[in-house]
Amino acid sequence: IANMTAMAEGEPGEPNPEAFVYGEEDFVLQAAGWGDPASAPSRFDRLLLAAWSDRMDRGLFRYRLRPLPTRVLPGPVRIVAQLNEQRSAERRPPQPVQSLRDPFDPGAFNFTRLRPAELLFRLRRAGGPGPPPDPLLVAINASPLERGHVLLLPEPARRLPQVLTAPALRGALEAALLSGHPGFRVGFNGLGGGASVNHLHLHGLYLDCPLPLEEAPAEPLGPRLGLLRAGPAPAFLFFVPGPAALEPVSRAVCRAAEHLGTAGLACNVLATRGAPPAGPGAEGGRGLRVLLWARRPLFGPKAGEPFAVALCELAGLLPLPTEPLYRDITEVQALSAIRQHLLPEPELLHLGGELARLLEN
């Protein structure tokens, strides 16, 4: 860690953090289950959490993250609410977004402006399977949702807008497989879908609670696509049973996301450890579930919303800004706030048919 920190303290604009070089042998194909006393952090987990805690101790975040009050809202969906007042009050205001195709704006905040000490390490794969993904810079999220909340950045100097690419997604999925923690998830908020910075990035974070969308069975829409109705919002489900599927699933998710953009829809993506699409006990064992949400785009804050809706909220985790809201919100109220951004059932099913046909070609 000391060597990595020294390298991260280089000249601004020339980030050169230590490389975390990994191969397929570093993938944790079957992460520990929830509450498994035999679980052990992986090499990736140890480095990430030690470096993240070091930066917290050095005051590089906007606030000091303490244990967050957490409760499960009564009701069948089992939404997890967390009180995070500091994030609401002290995070950088989201950038204004005008359309799904806003270009990168060098005058706005972007990740070329991160302080070198905010960079933890660079993920780089050596060897197979398939072509290598984009190397990803792992940086702190200065307004963290949870312990270990990081940004996964394809080379920031390329100045790519916040539009998901297959090499970037593949790198993030590989990061998910490098963790031995069942709750390490990676995700993406698109423009109009809660992205606060228009510079290509994904999120990685440890959430210490299981979510229903990890295990619930999905309705098959095609050979590689399902519709998952568990959680607050239905999502299109892709599945990575092992490393050989990383590249085709990454390409499929990005083709589907591009189709949504062409149709004027925003998207959010989450990857989490989970059961096969047919549910627990299905042949083949656990892998990565990759969920894609299609939604009406939202440009700017919506008056009267109790909370913003991005990938965490769609997945069933509500980071809430005030104690009264955290104390009093009901599942019905939370679902109403989330579902106003979603497509009507007939439109969702029609879109699912379009995506299934697209992915068969």
Side-chain angles (χ1 to χ4, degrees):
I1 298 294
N3 180 53
M4 178 189 67
T5 301
M7 299 179 76
E9 299 280 9
E11 292 300 316
E14 297 182 2
N16 189 30
E18 177 181 311
F20 181 94
V21 181
Y22 65 93
E24 189 174 351
E25 67 278 5
D26 290 296
F27 292 151
V28 182
L29 300 182
Q30 297 295 326
W34 291 101
D36 185 345
S39 64
S42 67
R43 183 168 70 100
F44 170 84
D45 295 320
R46 292 194 300 271
L47 178 60
L48 188 155
L49 291 170
W52 191 93
S53 296
D54 168 74
R55 303 314 195 269
M56 180 64 73
D57 291 341
R58 291 161 58 187
L60 293 174
F61 292 79
R62 287 176 172 257
Y63 48 87
R64 186 164 190 87
L65 188 71
R66 295 180 174 85
L68 300 173
T70 302
R71 73 185 186 98
V72 177
L73 303 187
V77 181
R78 307 284 297 167
I79 294 172
V80 179
Q82 282 191 327
L83 177 61
N84 194 335
E85 295 172 293
Q86 290 175 294
R87 176 175 167 83
S88 174
E90 301 182 37
R91 67 179 297 203
R92 181 184 293 107
Q95 292 175 5
V97 175
Q98 306 300 323
S99 77
L100 298 174
R101 303 187 184 279
D102 276 9
F104 175 86
D105 179 2
F109 172 79
N110 62 77
F111 299 119
T112 66
R113 301 184 183 184
L114 292 178
R115 295 168 290 178
E118 294 181 74
L119 306 176
L120 305 183
F121 52 91
R122 185 187 303 272
L123 282 173
R124 181 170 63 81
R125 200 191 73 208
D134 279 352
L136 296 177
L137 277 172
V138 180
I140 64 169
N141 186 317
S143 302
L145 282 163
E146 267 286 8
R147 183 180 73 113
H149 186 179
V150 294
L151 301 172
L152 305 174
L153 308 173
E155 184 49 59
R158 294 164 63 191
R159 301 187 170 198
L160 298 173
Q162 183 68 349
V163 177
L164 192 60
T165 67
L169 177 59
R170 183 172 177 189
L173 297 182
E174 294 195 356
L177 286 181
L178 289 171
S179 173
H181 191 293
F184 182 74
R185 283 110 178 191
V186 300
F188 172 84
N189 293 317
L191 296 178
S196 60
V197 178
N198 186 14
H199 192 184
L200 183 55
H201 66 287
L202 296 97
H203 294 265
L205 69 164
Y206 295 84
L207 300 177
D208 285 325
C209 57
L211 297 171
L213 50 74
E214 298 168 16
E215 304 292 337
E219 303 167 19
L221 298 176
R224 294 189 290 169
L225 185 69
L227 179 63
L228 184 68
R229 295 184 181 273
F236 297 112
L237 176 65
F238 303 77
F239 187 65
V240 178
L246 286 164
E247 183 185 14
V249 168
S250 298
R251 285 191 281 106
V253 172
C254 289
R255 285 186 73 192
E258 182 180 13
H259 184 82
L260 298 188
T262 301
L265 299 171
C267 75
N268 302 84
V269 176
L270 177 75
T272 183
R273 301 278 184 167
E283 185 177 351
R286 294 169 63 83
L288 283 181
R289 286 185 161 203
V290 185
L291 295 98
L292 171 69
W293 284 278
R295 57 182 290 173
R296 304 285 187 210
L298 179 64
F299 304 118
K302 188 171 182 178
E305 276 199 319
F307 50 82
V309 176
L311 71 92
C312 284
E313 292 77 9
L314 292 167
L317 176 76
L318 300 188
L320 296 174
T322 67
E323 198 280 332
L325 181 62
Y326 168 77
R327 181 189 65 228
D328 298 334
I329 193 169
T330 66
E331 182 180 271
V332 170
Q333 292 168 332
L335 292 176
S336 175
I338 293 168
R339 290 176 177 172
Q340 66 179 311
H341 297 277
L342 306 181
L343 306 182
E345 176 87 357
E347 192 173 339
L348 179 72
L349 294 176
H350 178 75
L351 178 61
E354 289 183 342
L355 293 179
R357 289 188 293 274
L358 174 73
L359 298 176
E360 287 174 12
N361 296 330

